[in-house]
Amino acid sequence: MDYTRAEAKAWAGKKFHGFFEAPFTPIDANGEIDAKQLQENIDRYIELGVDGLVVGGFIAELWTMTYQDWLRYHQLCAQAVRGRVPLFTIILESSAKQAIEKLAFVQKLGYDGAEIMNPSVQLRSDDEIFDFMKYVAERSPLALVLYRTPMPGTLMSMDLIVRLAEIDTVVGVKQGSFSRSDTLVLRRRARPDFIVSEPMESFFLDDLRAGGQVLWAAFWYLAYGKLRPLVREYYTLARAGRWEEARKPWEALQPARVFFEDLATDMARTGTYASHIAMMKPWMEAIGFPVGPVLPPVRGLAAERREWLVDQLQKLGVA
């Protein structure tokens, strides 16, 4: 860590820019984490210019693995990254003590911080969730990014996010409510040094103009495949204040963007990533990132559907 508790928000303000990607986990033929492929994929992510990595969340499939798998995965990620980009974990725990134990473990491995979701069991009211987050934050020096999402069963209220933003090590929020207006309202209501990230890439160009600075814990930058240079181009132009020029490469991505959004409608409706992972893993394979099969009990993509997906990606210029 190269920040203190008092410096956490200022540190995040300087570090959180661009594309902090959440990668898929390569799985071998035996249903185990493919350590060699994980290393190779992370090397490629960094070579391709990701600005940071946020690992271990829903799309990483750790929720369907053992605790020992969780520990090994985080060791492998730390060894692969070797400090080259900021590295965060994702905590999806209903037990505060388990969350604190995991944070202590990744801190020793050199992680820079953690994204943290509100509990999916029992703790539902604003006060209950606040007390959970405060208890965890007081027992770990790591920078924390909240995950505001309906997936745990309770969408944290805006009042609660504003309260939590006052905790010294709570540096930002991934505003995953699928509502663009929520992002703008939270950014207006929260303290100015609290980072509010809109995770939908379709809004990112406009969000940069409205005070946004990072596409946090998403996979858009990598998933655009051969179109990836257009993403970096519009981002670079936007950061230089050349907004009208940035609009052209952003618009060139629209056919691929719409295709993805059409495939992802069930994710917003059901509040689950599971079937989405089964679709995105073949997508990542098609653009050159070996990630293997989805872990059971999630059903993999049928061969015919996989062929159709690859064909569409090729037609769109992604693969």
Side-chain angles (χ1 to χ4, degrees), residues 1 4 52 87 113 118 143 186 188 201 224 258 294 315:
M1 285 173 49
T4 65
L87 179 61
N118 51 299
L186 267 177
R188 185 174 69 247
E201 184 274 335
Y224 272 119
V258 169
V294 66
K315 288 177 180 177

Side-chain angles (χ1 to χ4, degrees), residues 93-107:
E93 289 291 339
S94 293
S95 164
K97 289 185 177 181
Q98 184 74 86
I100 294 162
E101 182 178 304
K102 286 184 172 181
L103 289 170
F105 180 77
V106 298
Q107 182 188 350

Side-chain angles (χ1 to χ4, degrees), residues 2-317:
D2 55 0
Y3 59 88
T4 65
R5 297 185 69 95
E7 297 166 341
K9 283 185 171 66
W11 173 86
K14 294 176 181 178
K15 289 287 186 179
F16 290 13
H17 288 280
F19 304 93
F20 276 54
E21 294 287 283
F24 295 85
T25 304
I27 301 297
D28 65 22
N30 297 317
E32 303 293 337
I33 298 169
D34 188 330
K36 181 175 182 293
Q37 193 60 61
L38 180 63
Q39 169 76 65
E40 292 176 2
N41 285 358
I42 286 176
D43 284 343
R44 282 203 61 208
Y45 301 154
I46 295 172
E47 289 168 8
L48 290 169
V50 301
D51 297 288
L53 288 170
V54 188
V55 304
F58 286 124
I59 65 171
E61 300 177 88
L62 297 196
W63 50 272
T64 193
M65 298 186 197
T66 68
Y67 183 55
Q68 290 304 312
D69 289 330
W70 191 96
L71 298 174
R72 177 170 177 258
Y73 169 88
H74 282 82
Q75 289 173 323
L76 291 170
C77 287
Q79 291 166 5
V81 171
R82 302 190 304 280
R84 290 177 288 173
V85 295
L87 179 61
F88 277 66
T89 184
I90 300 179
I91 302 295
L92 310 170
E93 289 291 339
S94 293
S95 164
K97 289 185 177 181
Q98 184 74 86
I100 294 162
E101 182 178 304
K102 286 184 172 181
L103 289 170
F105 180 77
V106 298
Q107 182 188 350
K108 290 178 181 177
L109 294 175
Y111 279 66
D112 295 289
E115 177 185 307
I116 184 166
M117 188 179 76
N118 51 299
S120 60
V121 176
Q122 286 298 320
L123 307 181
R124 305 284 183 173
S125 72
D126 279 11
D127 284 345
E128 289 169 342
I129 297 171
F130 180 87
D131 290 346
F132 173 91
M133 295 294 186
K134 184 172 183 288
Y135 185 88
V136 172
E138 288 176 344
R139 288 158 178 80
S140 171
L142 291 178
L144 300 177
V145 176
L146 307 172
Y147 185 18
R148 184 174 189 256
T149 173
M151 294 184 186
T154 301
L155 180 67
M156 287 188 283
S157 72
M158 293 192 192
D159 287 344
L160 174 58
I161 299 295
V162 172
R163 286 174 64 194
L164 288 168
E166 295 301 320
I167 297 173
D168 51 7
T169 55
V170 176
V171 301
V173 60
K174 178 181 179 180
Q175 202 302 102
S177 70
F178 303 103
S179 169
R180 169 71 174 141
S181 62
D182 283 1
T183 301
L184 299 176
V185 170
L186 267 177
R187 192 172 290 141
R188 185 174 69 247
R189 290 190 56 193
R191 52 188 289 164
D193 57 356
F194 181 73
I195 297 166
V196 179
S197 173
E198 165 59 62
M200 298 300 292
E201 184 274 335
S202 55
F203 298 131
F204 192 40
L205 178 58
D206 289 332
D207 201 52
L208 288 167
R209 201 164 193 170
Q213 60 187 70
V214 63
L215 200 63
W216 177 271
F219 46 76
W220 302 93
Y221 181 73
L222 295 171
Y224 272 119
K226 292 179 180 178
L227 301 179
R228 194 178 304 112
L230 293 171
V231 185
R232 181 58 68 178
E233 181 182 1
Y234 86 66
Y235 172 72
T236 302
L237 288 168
R239 289 208 67 189
R242 297 160 64 182
W243 301 107
E244 294 309 312
E245 292 176 70
R247 180 68 56 180
K248 185 174 180 180
W250 181 91
E251 289 177 345
L253 292 164
Q254 190 65 0
R257 185 181 291 124
V258 169
F259 176 68
F260 170 84
E261 290 175 351
D262 287 345
L263 291 175
T265 53
D266 267 2
M267 184 173 70
R269 181 181 64 82
T270 63
T272 173
Y273 284 92
S275 60
H276 192 61
I277 298 168
M279 184 270 293
M280 284 306 301
K281 280 200 145 184
W283 179 312
M284 299 304 287
E285 293 259 348
I287 62 174
F289 297 112
V291 288
V294 66
L295 285 171
V298 179
R299 185 181 305 174
L301 207 62
E304 182 178 341
R305 182 72 168 168
R306 180 188 290 259
E307 290 175 8
W308 170 84
L309 175 65
V310 173
D311 180 63
Q312 295 301 308
L313 293 175
Q314 291 172 343
K315 288 177 180 177
L316 289 164

